Amino acid sequence: MDFILDINNLTISYDDKVIFDDISFGVKDASIIPILGANNSGKTTFLKTIAGINKSFNGNISVENIKSSQDKKYFPKVSYIGEDIDKNFIMDTVKEEIAFPLIHLAYSKSKITKKMDSVSLFCEVDEFMNEKIFDLSNYDKVRVAIATAIVADPKILLLDDVFRYLKDNEKRELINLIKKIREEYGITIIFTTSDIKDVYNLKNIFVIGDKRIVMVMDYDKLILEDNLLSKLGINIPIMLDLSRKLEFYKLIDKEYYDRDKLVDALWK
């Protein structure tokens, strides 16, 4: 089977310390891959290695059969958004930032305008294109970073723990945007998080820890792995644990993270 991302016998080191040991897996085209791991489990190093930023590894990484060692051919295929959201920007305004990758690739002015108009509307940043990026909210910054990352049509988008900047409703909106990007552009999106709430109802969740991929499973099965998740330093929120037990006894019909919503459901 052909994979958009193919990883074989990957061992990643950082400061002479092994972070991941002999990992192999493949990712199909136009997939959404959530990576769940505790803080300091190596999520950032993992994504930076896929992005071609970290070179301290053994094994093979390829996108569309182009190896990561082939920098000039590999880099355009992968876009990476780092965990420190402000450090992703190099220009002053939203318009300048989104245009920069296209200018760098020597697109014509007409094509730059067309692609910028399209992606800014798609990511809903079109209303503040002339604003300074650092005046925006965290959620708007994330959307600008995503618009900039996808404007030059990469094959893979890597999002490093960007959820931690967002409120719960913004996280849900971001998941919807990720799904839209996959459907509209056919881009594979891989994102990391340490919060199980961020992978709610998603499939093919990669759980990492102990220098390996511990398991890959859908959310509904994952939340039943309380003991293993706890050992890996991943906490199941108290409200989720309680609502899941209430659901088991048919006292409610779905899970709740919010205490007030859970109380309301019990009183119905």
Side-chain angles (χ1 to χ4, degrees), residues 211-254:
K211 304 178 184 179
R212 61 194 176 96
I213 298 171
V214 179
M215 54 186 170
V216 180
M217 60 179 59
D218 298 348
Y219 175 82
D220 57 347
K221 294 181 180 178
L222 176 63
I223 59 172
L224 301 177
E225 300 289 341
D226 308 55
N227 292 334
L228 180 54
L229 291 171
S230 180
K231 288 178 181 178
L232 294 171
I234 301 168
N235 297 319
I236 292 184
I238 293 174
M239 295 310 300
L240 172 59
D241 187 46
L242 175 59
S243 67
R244 200 171 36 150
K245 289 170 181 170
L246 292 170
E247 185 182 15
F248 176 80
Y249 288 107
K250 302 188 185 305
L251 296 174
I252 56 176
D253 59 2
K254 66 177 183 178

Side-chain angles (χ1 to χ4, degrees), residues 150-165:
I150 68 174
V151 72
D153 301 315
K155 295 298 180 180
I156 296 177
L157 173 62
L158 306 173
L159 305 175
D160 189 6
D161 206 14
V162 297
F163 286 86
R164 67 191 176 102
Y165 300 103

